[in-house]
Amino acid sequence: MPQVRSSRFVRLLAAGAAGAAAVAMLPAVSAQAGTAPFTVSVKGGYNNSQSLGTATGTISGTTGSNQATYSVTLCGQSTYPSSQVTIKGGTASANHTVYYQNCETFTGDLVSAYGFTNIEVTVSGSTFYPGSQYTTYTKSRTIYF
């Protein structure tokens, strides 16, 4: 003998089907692309009072993506003979160098073997001050999208 369903059950079933259909029509939410500005400066010498290099720029990417783009201006200050910036994300990295007190702008892409959520920017510079011992100093900063 067939079973008769109550009208309340039928209404609940219809409401559930309508809700599922409405959710299915919503667009998928994707990760948001972001651009993060940064400045990293390294100091060294006596009491870390001597400016050796500064990197200023932006990094653009999407959290979890395996690609990001960057633009960085690197300025050498009282460094000998050069200042260097290293930009790392996942398995990708880029190195750029300026000599003495020059400034130069570099742009590029980082393409990693896997997705990443942050980028590390490291600036290094060297000096003979104080005394005659050649010493390299570094400063790093982690950038999140």
Side-chain angles (χ1 to χ4, degrees):
M1 181 163 170
Q3 187 175 3
V4 177
R5 303 270 182 206
S6 72
S7 63
R8 180 173 183 231
F9 176 78
V10 173
R11 284 189 311 237
L12 286 173
L13 187 61
V23 168
M25 291 175 43
L26 291 175
V29 177
S30 64
Q32 295 292 319
T35 299
F38 65 87
T39 299
V40 180
S41 295
V42 63
K43 292 184 176 190
Y46 181 73
N47 286 333
N48 289 326
S49 60
Q50 190 174 16
S51 294
L52 300 176
T54 300
T56 303
T58 58
I59 297 177
S60 300
T62 302
T63 299
S65 172
N66 69 332
Q67 185 171 354
T69 60
Y70 66 88
S71 175
V72 59
T73 300
L74 176 63
C75 292
Q77 288 148 325
S78 298
T79 191
Y80 179 83
S82 63
S83 292
Q84 184 176 45
V85 62
T86 302
I87 304 168
K88 291 182 184 179
T91 60
S93 70
N95 296 306
H96 300 287
T97 303
V98 295
Y99 292 91
Y100 304 106
Q101 286 76 37
N102 293 320
C103 289
E104 193 170 342
T105 299
F106 305 97
T107 59
D109 295 320
L110 295 175
V111 180
S112 174
Y114 57 86
F116 47 82
T117 59
N118 60 58
I119 303 284
E120 184 178 66
V121 178
T122 302
V123 178
S124 61
S126 303
T127 184
F128 283 103
Y129 185 81
S132 61
Q133 183 160 342
Y134 185 75
T135 306
T136 299
Y137 299 86
T138 62
K139 179 74 172 187
S140 295
R141 180 170 173 213
T142 302
I143 313 299
Y144 297 92
F145 300 120

